[in-house]
mmCIF file of all heavy atoms in Angstrom:
data_model
loop_
_atom_site.group_PDB
_atom_site.id
_atom_site.type_symbol
_atom_site.label_atom_id
_atom_site.label_comp_id
_atom_site.label_asym_id
_atom_site.label_seq_id
_atom_site.Cartn_x
_atom_site.Cartn_y
_atom_site.Cartn_z
ATOM 1 N N ALA A 98 0.087 141.708 72.506
ATOM 2 C CA ALA A 98 1.490 142.104 72.490
ATOM 3 C C ALA A 98 2.400 141.004 72.884
ATOM 4 O O ALA A 98 2.055 140.218 73.748
ATOM 5 C CB ALA A 98 1.746 143.352 73.308
ATOM 6 N N THR A 99 3.645 140.989 72.272
ATOM 7 C CA THR A 99 4.629 140.004 72.717
ATOM 8 C C THR A 99 5.955 140.573 72.521
ATOM 9 O O THR A 99 6.215 141.340 71.594
ATOM 10 C CB THR A 99 4.427 138.732 71.938
ATOM 11 O OG1 THR A 99 5.437 137.777 72.338
ATOM 12 C CG2 THR A 99 4.615 138.957 70.410
ATOM 13 N N ARG A 100 6.913 140.139 73.392
ATOM 14 C CA ARG A 100 8.388 140.439 73.149
ATOM 15 C C ARG A 100 9.028 139.294 72.528
ATOM 16 O O ARG A 100 10.235 139.273 72.249
ATOM 17 C CB ARG A 100 9.064 140.835 74.513
ATOM 18 C CG ARG A 100 8.627 142.155 75.048
ATOM 19 C CD ARG A 100 9.640 142.732 75.982
ATOM 20 N NE ARG A 100 10.913 143.000 75.217
ATOM 21 C CZ ARG A 100 11.941 143.555 75.791
ATOM 22 N NH1 ARG A 100 11.937 143.903 77.083
ATOM 23 N NH2 ARG A 100 13.037 143.823 75.075
ATOM 24 N N GLY A 101 8.248 138.224 72.358
ATOM 25 C CA GLY A 101 8.865 137.017 71.693
ATOM 26 C C GLY A 101 8.865 137.170 70.186
ATOM 27 O O GLY A 101 8.742 138.180 69.618
ATOM 28 N N ILE A 102 9.043 135.983 69.569
ATOM 29 C CA ILE A 102 9.061 135.907 68.161
ATOM 30 C C ILE A 102 7.648 136.282 67.561
ATOM 31 O O ILE A 102 6.649 135.760 68.069
ATOM 32 C CB ILE A 102 9.509 134.529 67.592
ATOM 33 C CG1 ILE A 102 10.918 134.226 68.129
ATOM 34 C CG2 ILE A 102 9.384 134.441 66.119
ATOM 35 C CD1 ILE A 102 11.388 132.824 67.853
ATOM 36 N N ALA A 103 7.617 137.171 66.673
ATOM 37 C CA ALA A 103 6.304 137.632 66.102
ATOM 38 C C ALA A 103 5.767 136.551 65.230
ATOM 39 O O ALA A 103 6.473 136.111 64.252
ATOM 40 C CB ALA A 103 6.568 138.907 65.330
ATOM 41 N N THR A 104 4.581 136.107 65.521
ATOM 42 C CA THR A 104 3.902 135.082 64.644
ATOM 43 C C THR A 104 2.483 135.434 64.470
ATOM 44 O O THR A 104 1.945 136.455 65.026
ATOM 45 C CB THR A 104 4.027 133.716 65.358
ATOM 46 O OG1 THR A 104 3.104 133.646 66.438
ATOM 47 C CG2 THR A 104 5.364 133.406 65.784
ATOM 48 N N MET A 105 1.760 134.570 63.783
ATOM 49 C CA MET A 105 0.337 134.782 63.599
ATOM 50 C C MET A 105 -0.472 133.938 64.632
ATOM 51 O O MET A 105 -1.714 133.855 64.542
ATOM 52 C CB MET A 105 -0.073 134.362 62.171
ATOM 53 C CG MET A 105 0.618 135.183 61.122
ATOM 54 S SD MET A 105 0.075 134.739 59.485
ATOM 55 C CE MET A 105 1.067 135.847 58.403
ATOM 56 N N ARG A 106 0.168 133.261 65.493
ATOM 57 C CA ARG A 106 -0.438 132.405 66.428
ATOM 58 C C ARG A 106 -0.833 133.146 67.755
ATOM 59 O O ARG A 106 0.090 133.777 68.323
ATOM 60 C CB ARG A 106 0.382 131.131 66.801
ATOM 61 C CG ARG A 106 0.692 130.258 65.640
ATOM 62 C CD ARG A 106 1.319 128.948 66.187
ATOM 63 N NE ARG A 106 2.483 129.207 66.963
ATOM 64 C CZ ARG A 106 3.728 129.238 66.555
ATOM 65 N NH1 ARG A 106 3.883 129.171 65.215
ATOM 66 N NH2 ARG A 106 4.738 129.395 67.301
ATOM 67 N N SER A 107 -2.034 133.035 68.134
ATOM 68 C CA SER A 107 -2.457 133.755 69.367
ATOM 69 C C SER A 107 -1.671 133.299 70.525
ATOM 70 O O SER A 107 -1.417 134.070 71.492
ATOM 71 C CB SER A 107 -3.973 133.604 69.602
ATOM 72 O OG SER A 107 -4.295 132.191 69.790
ATOM 73 N N SER A 108 -1.246 132.064 70.563
ATOM 74 C CA SER A 108 -0.498 131.527 71.757
ATOM 75 C C SER A 108 0.892 132.158 71.981
ATOM 76 O O SER A 108 1.466 132.046 73.035
ATOM 77 C CB SER A 108 -0.334 129.964 71.580
ATOM 78 O OG SER A 108 0.387 129.704 70.391
ATOM 79 N N SER A 109 1.386 132.838 70.932
ATOM 80 C CA SER A 109 2.704 133.453 71.041
ATOM 81 C C SER A 109 2.644 134.889 71.661
ATOM 82 O O SER A 109 3.607 135.507 71.860
ATOM 83 C CB SER A 109 3.391 133.523 69.685
ATOM 84 O OG SER A 109 2.652 134.362 68.843
ATOM 85 N N TYR A 110 1.374 135.369 71.941
ATOM 86 C CA TYR A 110 1.235 136.692 72.490
ATOM 87 C C TYR A 110 0.986 136.582 74.017
ATOM 88 O O TYR A 110 0.235 135.729 74.465
ATOM 89 C CB TYR A 110 0.155 137.402 71.832
ATOM 90 C CG TYR A 110 0.458 137.750 70.362
ATOM 91 C CD1 TYR A 110 0.414 136.867 69.357
ATOM 92 C CD2 TYR A 110 0.953 139.050 70.066
ATOM 93 C CE1 TYR A 110 0.762 137.147 68.092
ATOM 94 C CE2 TYR A 110 1.272 139.399 68.789
ATOM 95 C CZ TYR A 110 1.231 138.449 67.790
ATOM 96 O OH TYR A 110 1.579 138.709 66.506
ATOM 97 N N ASP A 111 1.667 137.499 74.748
ATOM 98 C CA ASP A 111 1.683 137.442 76.211
ATOM 99 C C ASP A 111 0.586 138.298 76.876
ATOM 100 O O ASP A 111 0.124 138.092 77.922
ATOM 101 C CB ASP A 111 3.013 137.798 76.763
ATOM 102 C CG ASP A 111 4.152 136.991 76.119
ATOM 103 O OD1 ASP A 111 4.047 135.774 76.277
ATOM 104 O OD2 ASP A 111 5.046 137.621 75.554
#
Side-chain angles (χ1 to χ4, degrees):
T99 179
R100 288 204 66 178
I102 298 174
T104 74
M105 298 181 181
R106 297 192 306 271
S107 60
S108 59
S109 64
Y110 291 79
D111 305 305

